[in-house]
Amino acid sequence: MGVLWEVVQTGLMYGQKRKSDSVEDRVRALEEQLQLTQNTLRSLVKKLEQLHGLDIDQDGRIG
């Protein structure tokens, strides 16, 4: 449940930052959202690997 809540929070944060005035602010907000999304996906893959005992991302490790 924690990973899904992070996704929701990321979406809410993006909604607030999207209201920025300048293009630079919007790009910065998108970059931050991308980083948060990537971190969330990494956490999700790690958890799925641990739960199912599979090497989903094919990095040679489980978890």
Side-chain angles (χ1 to χ4, degrees):
M1 184 70 169
V3 173
L4 295 177
W5 181 242
E6 287 181 39
V7 172
V8 170
Q9 287 179 322
T10 300
L12 294 173
M13 289 173 51
Y14 173 68
Q16 292 296 324
K17 291 185 183 239
R18 202 175 73 194
K19 296 177 183 176
S20 300
D21 294 333
S22 72
V23 173
E24 291 83 8
D25 289 340
R26 288 182 180 189
V27 169
R28 190 175 311 110
L30 286 171
E31 288 173 341
E32 289 174 7
Q33 181 195 9
L34 175 61
Q35 185 64 47
L36 290 170
T37 302
Q38 288 174 335
N39 291 343
T40 300
L41 286 172
R42 283 185 196 102
S43 296
L44 181 59
V45 167
K46 181 177 180 177
K47 190 64 166 179
L48 287 171
E49 285 184 346
Q50 291 170 347
L51 288 172
H52 296 285
L54 301 171
D55 183 14
I56 295 172
D57 59 6
Q58 298 178 350
D59 66 351
R61 300 181 286 152
I62 294 177

